[in-house]
């Protein structure tokens, strides 16, 4: 399963996220210029598809830039849990951008299928697509490193549609070569295929953004790890009521520890602090709330549930 936990501290994360957003905006701007020149020269609908995708990439990257800056702002009196969900909102906005480009390309490719046109200056188109592939690969390497360190939803979304760009550019090279051999229908056909893949990618981005906005629990294997760490103490008798969620780069954890009934409050507090420190070491930057319960209360709850059953008290 995908590990949603960030590994960098807050200061390093801020620097990495800013690096990724600036690199994304710069790459998109450069690609827009070269692809616009290539489309004017070649009149290829596949190149137009790539140009439109880069325009939307630029818009999405600008949204990312502002969203990440906002998400990095510390908690305040009106946002006590911070501003991390701005990243998920940005991811959702990017999904709409990506879906819009997919719909436009479907319409444009159908029109060009009905009225095929020859492609001019094949060499220019191929050179631009190769340049776009190299620039995109460099950006993806930067984004992959940032994602590993921060687990940013916004950068994940940005990286996903740049990966689609990589496939788009490779497909366009094939389409240009086939069209030059007289297979003009290949140009709109490849554009249509790219459009379908773009729509699929939009769905994936939207799904992850929705999950974070709706406070979906961490994957089961990560929850199991949290419970294992929480109970890895000789005086901890168990744990229950674990609740988790992710907001931006912060993982939120709430759980109840089961301790001996006769334990002093100061001792139970010390144990809870110990388990919190262990969890924070495993999940840097996590926001953790641990409640201490006497074990007998937990046992009585279980007995009440068993005694009540589905049909009421026995």
């Amino acid at each position: 399963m995908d590990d949603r936990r960030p590994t960098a501290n807050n200061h390093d994360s801020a620097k990495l996220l800013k690096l990724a957003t600036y690199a994304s905006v710069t790459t998109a701007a450069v690609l827009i210029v070269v692809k616009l020149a290539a489309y004017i020269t070649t009149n290829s609908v596949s190149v137009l598809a790539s140009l439109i995708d880069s325009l939307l990439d630029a818009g999405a990257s600008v949204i990312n830039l502002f969203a990440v800056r906002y998400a990095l702002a510390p908690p305040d009196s009106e946002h006590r849990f911070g501003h991390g969900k701005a990243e998920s909102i940005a991811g959702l906005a990017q999904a709409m951008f990506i879906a819009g480009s997919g719909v436009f390309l479907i319409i444009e490719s159908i029109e060009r299928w009905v009225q095929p046109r020859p492609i001019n200056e094949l060499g220019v188109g191929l050179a631009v697509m190769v340049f776009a592939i190299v620039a995109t690969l460099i950006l993806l390497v930067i984004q992959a490193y940032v994602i590993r360190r921060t687990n940013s939803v916004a950068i994940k979304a940005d990286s996903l549609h740049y990966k689609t760009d990589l496939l788009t550019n490779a497909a366009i090279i094939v389409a240009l070569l086939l069209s030059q051999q007289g297979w003009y229908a290949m140009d709109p056909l490849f554009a249509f295929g790219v459009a379908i893949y773009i729509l699929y990618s939009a769905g994936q981005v939207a799904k992850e953004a929705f999950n974070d906005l709706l406070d979906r629990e961490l994957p089961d294997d990560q929850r199991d790890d949290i419970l294992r760490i929480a109970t890895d103490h000789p005086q901890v008798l168990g744990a229950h009521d674990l609740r988790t969620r992710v907001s931006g780069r912060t993982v939120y954890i709430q759980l109840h520890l089961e301790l001996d009934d006769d334990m002093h409050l100061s001792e139970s507090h010390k144990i809870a602090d110990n388990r919190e420190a262990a969890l924070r070491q495993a999940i840097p930057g996590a926001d953790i709330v641990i409640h201490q319960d006497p074990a007998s209360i937990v046992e009585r709850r279980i007995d009440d549930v068993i005694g009540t059953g589905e049909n009421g008290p026995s």
Side-chain angles (χ1 to χ4, degrees), residues 159-190:
S159 180
L160 181 57
H161 64 74
Y162 274 106
K163 287 177 183 176
T164 68
D165 287 355
L166 201 61
L167 296 175
T168 299
N169 295 330
I172 288 169
I173 289 176
V174 176
L176 290 173
L177 291 172
L178 291 175
S179 296
Q180 189 67 14
Q181 301 300 317
W183 295 45
Y184 300 127
M186 292 296 102
D187 187 34
L189 183 62
F190 272 76

mmCIF file of all heavy atoms in Angstrom, residues 159-190:
data_model
loop_
_atom_site.group_PDB
_atom_site.id
_atom_site.type_symbol
_atom_site.label_atom_id
_atom_site.label_comp_id
_atom_site.label_asym_id
_atom_site.label_seq_id
_atom_site.Cartn_x
_atom_site.Cartn_y
_atom_site.Cartn_z
ATOM 1 N N SER A 159 2.644 15.605 -10.210
ATOM 2 C CA SER A 159 3.507 14.592 -10.821
ATOM 3 C C SER A 159 2.716 13.638 -11.701
ATOM 4 O O SER A 159 3.196 13.228 -12.763
ATOM 5 C CB SER A 159 4.236 13.812 -9.718
ATOM 6 O OG SER A 159 5.070 12.829 -10.278
ATOM 7 N N LEU A 160 1.495 13.301 -11.274
ATOM 8 C CA LEU A 160 0.694 12.350 -12.040
ATOM 9 C C LEU A 160 0.394 12.870 -13.431
ATOM 10 O O LEU A 160 0.542 12.154 -14.425
ATOM 11 C CB LEU A 160 -0.612 12.048 -11.296
ATOM 12 C CG LEU A 160 -1.543 11.052 -11.982
ATOM 13 C CD1 LEU A 160 -0.836 9.726 -12.231
ATOM 14 C CD2 LEU A 160 -2.793 10.827 -11.138
ATOM 15 N N HIS A 161 -0.008 14.155 -13.547
ATOM 16 C CA HIS A 161 -0.332 14.594 -14.902
ATOM 17 C C HIS A 161 0.913 14.940 -15.715
ATOM 18 O O HIS A 161 0.864 14.960 -16.942
ATOM 19 C CB HIS A 161 -1.383 15.717 -14.911
ATOM 20 C CG HIS A 161 -0.996 16.991 -14.273
ATOM 21 N ND1 HIS A 161 -0.127 17.883 -14.823
ATOM 22 C CD2 HIS A 161 -1.426 17.560 -13.132
ATOM 23 C CE1 HIS A 161 -0.017 18.941 -14.047
ATOM 24 N NE2 HIS A 161 -0.792 18.770 -13.008
ATOM 25 N N TYR A 162 2.075 15.128 -15.069
ATOM 26 C CA TYR A 162 3.307 15.235 -15.853
ATOM 27 C C TYR A 162 3.735 13.862 -16.372
ATOM 28 O O TYR A 162 4.379 13.757 -17.420
ATOM 29 C CB TYR A 162 4.422 15.888 -15.035
ATOM 30 C CG TYR A 162 4.384 17.402 -15.116
ATOM 31 C CD1 TYR A 162 3.949 18.171 -14.050
ATOM 32 C CD2 TYR A 162 4.750 18.060 -16.290
ATOM 33 C CE1 TYR A 162 3.890 19.542 -14.124
ATOM 34 C CE2 TYR A 162 4.706 19.442 -16.379
ATOM 35 C CZ TYR A 162 4.266 20.174 -15.290
ATOM 36 O OH TYR A 162 4.201 21.543 -15.389
ATOM 37 N N LYS A 163 3.384 12.802 -15.625
ATOM 38 C CA LYS A 163 3.631 11.458 -16.143
ATOM 39 C C LYS A 163 2.767 11.191 -17.371
ATOM 40 O O LYS A 163 3.204 10.533 -18.325
ATOM 41 C CB LYS A 163 3.342 10.417 -15.059
ATOM 42 C CG LYS A 163 4.383 10.374 -13.965
ATOM 43 C CD LYS A 163 4.006 9.386 -12.878
ATOM 44 C CE LYS A 163 5.031 9.395 -11.745
ATOM 45 N NZ LYS A 163 4.634 8.506 -10.628
ATOM 46 N N THR A 164 1.535 11.691 -17.350
ATOM 47 C CA THR A 164 0.692 11.539 -18.540
ATOM 48 C C THR A 164 1.286 12.328 -19.704
ATOM 49 O O THR A 164 1.191 11.905 -20.853
ATOM 50 C CB THR A 164 -0.752 12.016 -18.280
ATOM 51 O OG1 THR A 164 -0.777 13.425 -18.084
ATOM 52 C CG2 THR A 164 -1.360 11.329 -17.076
ATOM 53 N N ASP A 165 1.909 13.463 -19.396
ATOM 54 C CA ASP A 165 2.574 14.242 -20.449
ATOM 55 C C ASP A 165 3.685 13.425 -21.099
ATOM 56 O O ASP A 165 3.897 13.491 -22.318
ATOM 57 C CB ASP A 165 3.186 15.527 -19.867
ATOM 58 C CG ASP A 165 2.141 16.561 -19.518
ATOM 59 O OD1 ASP A 165 0.955 16.320 -19.819
ATOM 60 O OD2 ASP A 165 2.500 17.592 -18.942
ATOM 61 N N LEU A 166 4.407 12.675 -20.269
ATOM 62 C CA LEU A 166 5.516 11.871 -20.793
ATOM 63 C C LEU A 166 4.986 10.856 -21.802
ATOM 64 O O LEU A 166 5.540 10.696 -22.900
ATOM 65 C CB LEU A 166 6.208 11.162 -19.627
ATOM 66 C CG LEU A 166 7.635 10.689 -19.838
ATOM 67 C CD1 LEU A 166 8.547 11.853 -20.132
ATOM 68 C CD2 LEU A 166 8.109 9.939 -18.597
ATOM 69 N N LEU A 167 3.902 10.176 -21.442
ATOM 70 C CA LEU A 167 3.284 9.217 -22.359
ATOM 71 C C LEU A 167 2.714 9.923 -23.582
ATOM 72 O O LEU A 167 2.792 9.424 -24.703
ATOM 73 C CB LEU A 167 2.186 8.446 -21.635
ATOM 74 C CG LEU A 167 2.655 7.549 -20.475
ATOM 75 C CD1 LEU A 167 1.449 6.942 -19.764
ATOM 76 C CD2 LEU A 167 3.576 6.455 -20.979
ATOM 77 N N THR A 168 2.124 11.100 -23.343
ATOM 78 C CA THR A 168 1.560 11.881 -24.451
ATOM 79 C C THR A 168 2.630 12.220 -25.478
ATOM 80 O O THR A 168 2.448 12.032 -26.686
ATOM 81 C CB THR A 168 0.940 13.189 -23.916
ATOM 82 O OG1 THR A 168 -0.109 12.874 -23.017
ATOM 83 C CG2 THR A 168 0.389 14.031 -25.060
ATOM 84 N N ASN A 169 3.762 12.715 -24.992
ATOM 85 C CA ASN A 169 4.825 13.134 -25.910
ATOM 86 C C ASN A 169 5.399 11.952 -26.688
ATOM 87 O O ASN A 169 5.696 12.072 -27.883
ATOM 88 C CB ASN A 169 5.937 13.838 -25.120
ATOM 89 C CG ASN A 169 5.477 15.134 -24.491
ATOM 90 O OD1 ASN A 169 4.590 15.808 -25.015
ATOM 91 N ND2 ASN A 169 6.043 15.495 -23.357
ATOM 92 N N ALA A 170 5.528 10.799 -26.023
ATOM 93 C CA ALA A 170 6.018 9.610 -26.720
ATOM 94 C C ALA A 170 5.024 9.162 -27.791
ATOM 95 O O ALA A 170 5.416 8.803 -28.913
ATOM 96 C CB ALA A 170 6.263 8.487 -25.712
ATOM 97 N N ALA A 171 3.725 9.203 -27.441
ATOM 98 C CA ALA A 171 2.695 8.818 -28.412
ATOM 99 C C ALA A 171 2.660 9.778 -29.596
ATOM 100 O O ALA A 171 2.438 9.361 -30.744
ATOM 101 C CB ALA A 171 1.334 8.780 -27.724
ATOM 102 N N ILE A 172 2.888 11.046 -29.328
ATOM 103 C CA ILE A 172 2.850 12.051 -30.394
ATOM 104 C C ILE A 172 3.999 11.829 -31.380
ATOM 105 O O ILE A 172 3.834 12.016 -32.599
ATOM 106 C CB ILE A 172 2.906 13.468 -29.800
ATOM 107 C CG1 ILE A 172 1.570 13.777 -29.118
ATOM 108 C CG2 ILE A 172 3.187 14.514 -30.876
ATOM 109 C CD1 ILE A 172 1.590 15.029 -28.287
ATOM 110 N N ILE A 173 5.149 11.419 -30.882
ATOM 111 C CA ILE A 173 6.270 11.129 -31.776
ATOM 112 C C ILE A 173 5.881 10.014 -32.748
ATOM 113 O O ILE A 173 6.132 10.098 -33.964
ATOM 114 C CB ILE A 173 7.524 10.736 -30.963
ATOM 115 C CG1 ILE A 173 8.082 11.970 -30.249
ATOM 116 C CG2 ILE A 173 8.587 10.117 -31.875
ATOM 117 C CD1 ILE A 173 9.261 11.670 -29.346
ATOM 118 N N VAL A 174 5.244 8.955 -32.216
ATOM 119 C CA VAL A 174 4.782 7.860 -33.076
ATOM 120 C C VAL A 174 3.746 8.366 -34.081
ATOM 121 O O VAL A 174 3.789 8.031 -35.278
ATOM 122 C CB VAL A 174 4.184 6.720 -32.218
ATOM 123 C CG1 VAL A 174 3.616 5.624 -33.115
ATOM 124 C CG2 VAL A 174 5.240 6.150 -31.286
ATOM 125 N N ALA A 175 2.797 9.196 -33.612
ATOM 126 C CA ALA A 175 1.745 9.720 -34.490
ATOM 127 C C ALA A 175 2.332 10.572 -35.606
ATOM 128 O O ALA A 175 1.893 10.486 -36.768
ATOM 129 C CB ALA A 175 0.750 10.544 -33.671
ATOM 130 N N LEU A 176 3.324 11.391 -35.281
ATOM 131 C CA LEU A 176 3.948 12.240 -36.300
ATOM 132 C C LEU A 176 4.653 11.395 -37.363
ATOM 133 O O LEU A 176 4.551 11.681 -38.569
ATOM 134 C CB LEU A 176 4.954 13.193 -35.638
ATOM 135 C CG LEU A 176 4.370 14.317 -34.765
ATOM 136 C CD1 LEU A 176 5.486 15.060 -34.042
ATOM 137 C CD2 LEU A 176 3.541 15.278 -35.608
ATOM 138 N N LEU A 177 5.348 10.357 -36.924
ATOM 139 C CA LEU A 177 6.053 9.501 -37.874
ATOM 140 C C LEU A 177 5.075 8.766 -38.792
ATOM 141 O O LEU A 177 5.292 8.665 -40.008
ATOM 142 C CB LEU A 177 6.926 8.501 -37.110
ATOM 143 C CG LEU A 177 8.145 9.097 -36.374
ATOM 144 C CD1 LEU A 177 8.799 8.038 -35.492
ATOM 145 C CD2 LEU A 177 9.147 9.657 -37.381
ATOM 146 N N LEU A 178 3.977 8.256 -38.218
ATOM 147 C CA LEU A 178 2.976 7.542 -39.023
ATOM 148 C C LEU A 178 2.263 8.493 -39.982
ATOM 149 O O LEU A 178 1.991 8.142 -41.141
ATOM 150 C CB LEU A 178 1.966 6.849 -38.108
ATOM 151 C CG LEU A 178 2.492 5.663 -37.297
ATOM 152 C CD1 LEU A 178 1.426 5.158 -36.338
ATOM 153 C CD2 LEU A 178 2.946 4.537 -38.219
ATOM 154 N N SER A 179 1.964 9.692 -39.514
ATOM 155 C CA SER A 179 1.278 10.670 -40.364
ATOM 156 C C SER A 179 2.151 11.075 -41.538
ATOM 157 O O SER A 179 1.654 11.327 -42.637
ATOM 158 C CB SER A 179 0.894 11.902 -39.542
ATOM 159 O OG SER A 179 -0.038 11.571 -38.530
ATOM 160 N N GLN A 180 3.456 11.141 -41.310
ATOM 161 C CA GLN A 180 4.374 11.501 -42.383
ATOM 162 C C GLN A 180 4.378 10.446 -43.480
ATOM 163 O O GLN A 180 4.671 10.743 -44.654
ATOM 164 C CB GLN A 180 5.789 11.685 -41.815
ATOM 165 C CG GLN A 180 6.779 12.271 -42.802
ATOM 166 C CD GLN A 180 6.446 13.716 -43.152
ATOM 167 O OE1 GLN A 180 5.638 14.349 -42.474
ATOM 168 N NE2 GLN A 180 7.052 14.230 -44.205
ATOM 169 N N GLN A 181 4.001 9.202 -43.116
ATOM 170 C CA GLN A 181 3.924 8.128 -44.099
ATOM 171 C C GLN A 181 2.559 8.082 -44.789
ATOM 172 O O GLN A 181 2.274 7.148 -45.546
ATOM 173 C CB GLN A 181 4.190 6.792 -43.413
ATOM 174 C CG GLN A 181 5.547 6.705 -42.729
ATOM 175 C CD GLN A 181 6.704 6.905 -43.677
ATOM 176 O OE1 GLN A 181 6.705 6.368 -44.796
ATOM 177 N NE2 GLN A 181 7.699 7.696 -43.270
ATOM 178 N N GLY A 182 1.729 9.080 -44.525
ATOM 179 C CA GLY A 182 0.411 9.149 -45.159
ATOM 180 C C GLY A 182 -0.725 8.643 -44.289
ATOM 181 O O GLY A 182 -1.887 8.670 -44.698
ATOM 182 N N TRP A 183 -0.436 8.183 -43.094
ATOM 183 C CA TRP A 183 -1.464 7.700 -42.173
ATOM 184 C C TRP A 183 -1.990 8.871 -41.351
ATOM 185 O O TRP A 183 -1.788 8.965 -40.147
ATOM 186 C CB TRP A 183 -0.881 6.624 -41.260
ATOM 187 C CG TRP A 183 -0.458 5.370 -41.967
ATOM 188 C CD1 TRP A 183 0.247 5.276 -43.117
ATOM 189 C CD2 TRP A 183 -0.721 4.030 -41.546
ATOM 190 N NE1 TRP A 183 0.466 3.972 -43.464
ATOM 191 C CE2 TRP A 183 -0.126 3.176 -42.508
ATOM 192 C CE3 TRP A 183 -1.373 3.452 -40.472
ATOM 193 C CZ2 TRP A 183 -0.175 1.790 -42.421
ATOM 194 C CZ3 TRP A 183 -1.425 2.074 -40.388
ATOM 195 C CH2 TRP A 183 -0.842 1.254 -41.353
ATOM 196 N N TYR A 184 -2.697 9.765 -42.009
ATOM 197 C CA TYR A 184 -3.134 10.993 -41.331
ATOM 198 C C TYR A 184 -4.124 10.716 -40.193
ATOM 199 O O TYR A 184 -4.230 11.501 -39.252
ATOM 200 C CB TYR A 184 -3.775 11.946 -42.343
ATOM 201 C CG TYR A 184 -2.849 12.372 -43.450
ATOM 202 C CD1 TYR A 184 -3.205 12.228 -44.790
ATOM 203 C CD2 TYR A 184 -1.595 12.891 -43.163
ATOM 204 C CE1 TYR A 184 -2.347 12.595 -45.808
ATOM 205 C CE2 TYR A 184 -0.720 13.271 -44.164
ATOM 206 C CZ TYR A 184 -1.109 13.115 -45.495
ATOM 207 O OH TYR A 184 -0.252 13.476 -46.496
ATOM 208 N N ALA A 185 -4.843 9.612 -40.278
ATOM 209 C CA ALA A 185 -5.811 9.294 -39.230
ATOM 210 C C ALA A 185 -5.132 8.963 -37.899
ATOM 211 O O ALA A 185 -5.770 9.033 -36.845
ATOM 212 C CB ALA A 185 -6.685 8.113 -39.664
ATOM 213 N N MET A 186 -3.846 8.602 -37.959
ATOM 214 C CA MET A 186 -3.138 8.266 -36.722
ATOM 215 C C MET A 186 -2.988 9.479 -35.804
ATOM 216 O O MET A 186 -2.967 9.343 -34.578
ATOM 217 C CB MET A 186 -1.745 7.699 -37.041
ATOM 218 C CG MET A 186 -1.772 6.333 -37.712
ATOM 219 S SD MET A 186 -2.475 5.036 -36.637
ATOM 220 C CE MET A 186 -4.122 4.886 -37.337
ATOM 221 N N ASP A 187 -2.883 10.662 -36.375
ATOM 222 C CA ASP A 187 -2.709 11.881 -35.578
ATOM 223 C C ASP A 187 -3.899 12.092 -34.638
ATOM 224 O O ASP A 187 -3.722 12.151 -33.416
ATOM 225 C CB ASP A 187 -2.504 13.080 -36.517
ATOM 226 C CG ASP A 187 -2.150 14.349 -35.768
ATOM 227 O OD1 ASP A 187 -1.464 14.258 -34.736
ATOM 228 O OD2 ASP A 187 -2.579 15.432 -36.218
ATOM 229 N N PRO A 188 -5.146 12.172 -35.138
ATOM 230 C CA PRO A 188 -6.284 12.329 -34.222
ATOM 231 C C PRO A 188 -6.545 11.087 -33.374
ATOM 232 O O PRO A 188 -7.041 11.192 -32.248
ATOM 233 C CB PRO A 188 -7.460 12.615 -35.154
ATOM 234 C CG PRO A 188 -7.066 12.058 -36.476
ATOM 235 C CD PRO A 188 -5.572 12.263 -36.548
ATOM 236 N N LEU A 189 -6.197 9.884 -33.905
ATOM 237 C CA LEU A 189 -6.426 8.666 -33.149
ATOM 238 C C LEU A 189 -5.559 8.642 -31.883
ATOM 239 O O LEU A 189 -6.038 8.305 -30.785
ATOM 240 C CB LEU A 189 -6.129 7.442 -34.015
ATOM 241 C CG LEU A 189 -6.409 6.076 -33.367
ATOM 242 C CD1 LEU A 189 -7.882 5.942 -33.017
ATOM 243 C CD2 LEU A 189 -5.976 4.944 -34.299
ATOM 244 N N PHE A 190 -4.292 9.003 -32.018
ATOM 245 C CA PHE A 190 -3.411 9.057 -30.857
ATOM 246 C C PHE A 190 -3.864 10.139 -29.884
ATOM 247 O O PHE A 190 -3.798 9.964 -28.662
ATOM 248 C CB PHE A 190 -1.969 9.313 -31.304
ATOM 249 C CG PHE A 190 -1.201 8.060 -31.619
ATOM 250 C CD1 PHE A 190 -1.416 7.378 -32.803
ATOM 251 C CD2 PHE A 190 -0.275 7.550 -30.728
ATOM 252 C CE1 PHE A 190 -0.714 6.218 -33.099
ATOM 253 C CE2 PHE A 190 0.422 6.389 -31.008
ATOM 254 C CZ PHE A 190 0.209 5.717 -32.202
#
